[in-house]
Amino acid sequence: MDVKGLGYKVQVANPYRYEENQEARVYVEQVVRDNEQSLYGFYDLNEKNIFLHLISVSGIGPKSALAILAGQDLQGLIHAIENDDVKYLTKFPKIGKKTAQQIILDLSGKFTAEGQMTLGEAPVEFSTGNQELEDGLAALESLGYSPREISKIKSQLEKESLKSADEYLRAGLKLLSK
């Protein structure tokens, strides 16, 4: 991935979803381990949220979670979790019966009727027409601020006419620290 001239190696579930030399939005998660730092990319926020929930399950690492997402049958995955279908889950690489049961135990009931992960709060809608503001809001979320906290300051930031995402980030941090 090329971000303003800086190249990053990002592991994705299906690299063929993206076209070479075409601009695309990729939702990235950095995973830091004792001996490595890796970037994982996702097509949309729902896919990223499912990944985050999968890696929270004991016995599932980032590579296994990515392999599960590579199946691209998220509805089938959700159906299997909600209906205790161990057999479906064991078809994924490195997922045995015990790990499949752990996935069901940990993630059952965490999906909405539409197949979205429930995270307690709706994601912040960043579509403002101002790319710098959107990037600043996304940075606040990646720093751990909740969508509820960000939505409270979004209207105040929209009134500002700042020139970069960094400026919006700084302004947002000041507002959140009050």
Side-chain angles (χ1 to χ4, degrees), residues 121-141:
E121 300 179 34
V124 174
E125 179 56 53
F126 294 138
S127 184
T128 62
N130 179 340
Q131 187 62 46
E132 288 77 21
L133 173 58
E134 292 175 24
D135 292 344
L137 294 173
L140 287 170
E141 188 175 34

Side-chain angles (χ1 to χ4, degrees), residues 22-178:
Q22 293 294 317
E23 194 170 304
R25 179 168 283 196
V26 179
Y27 297 88
V28 177
E29 180 68 23
Q30 180 180 20
V31 176
V32 179
R33 300 280 189 230
D34 290 337
N35 58 349
E36 73 173 305
Q37 293 186 31
S38 301
L39 296 174
Y40 296 91
F42 307 96
Y43 190 72
D44 58 28
L45 283 174
N46 188 47
E47 189 176 82
K48 180 179 177 181
N49 289 334
I50 291 172
F51 172 84
L52 293 173
H53 281 284
L54 284 170
I55 64 173
S56 73
V57 173
S58 177
I60 302 287
K63 291 178 183 173
S64 295
L66 211 57
I68 292 170
L69 291 174
Q72 291 191 359
D73 182 15
L74 296 182
Q75 292 304 318
L77 173 66
I78 292 165
H79 185 266
I81 292 169
E82 294 298 329
N83 294 295
D84 300 335
D85 188 353
V86 173
K87 186 176 179 181
Y88 180 89
L89 295 172
T90 57
K91 77 176 188 174
F92 296 109
K94 300 181 183 177
I95 305 295
K97 186 176 179 182
K98 284 186 178 184
T99 305
Q101 290 171 334
Q102 190 66 46
I103 291 170
I104 291 168
L105 180 66
D106 290 356
L107 300 183
S108 184
K110 295 197 176 185
F111 299 95
T112 63
E114 298 82 34
Q116 303 287 317
M117 293 299 300
T118 57
L119 299 174
E121 300 179 34
V124 174
E125 179 56 53
F126 294 138
S127 184
T128 62
N130 179 340
Q131 187 62 46
E132 288 77 21
L133 173 58
E134 292 175 24
D135 292 344
L137 294 173
L140 287 170
E141 188 175 34
S142 71
L143 289 172
Y145 288 97
S146 73
R148 181 176 292 133
E149 291 172 308
I150 296 170
S151 63
K152 286 180 181 176
I153 64 160
K154 181 181 170 190
S155 62
Q156 294 169 328
L157 289 174
E158 287 175 326
K159 295 174 186 171
E160 302 284 331
S161 57
L162 303 175
K163 296 181 191 235
S164 71
D166 287 341
E167 291 177 3
Y168 279 109
L169 175 59
R170 283 189 205 100
L173 288 170
K174 284 179 186 175
L175 290 170
L176 288 166
S177 67
K178 288 182 179 179

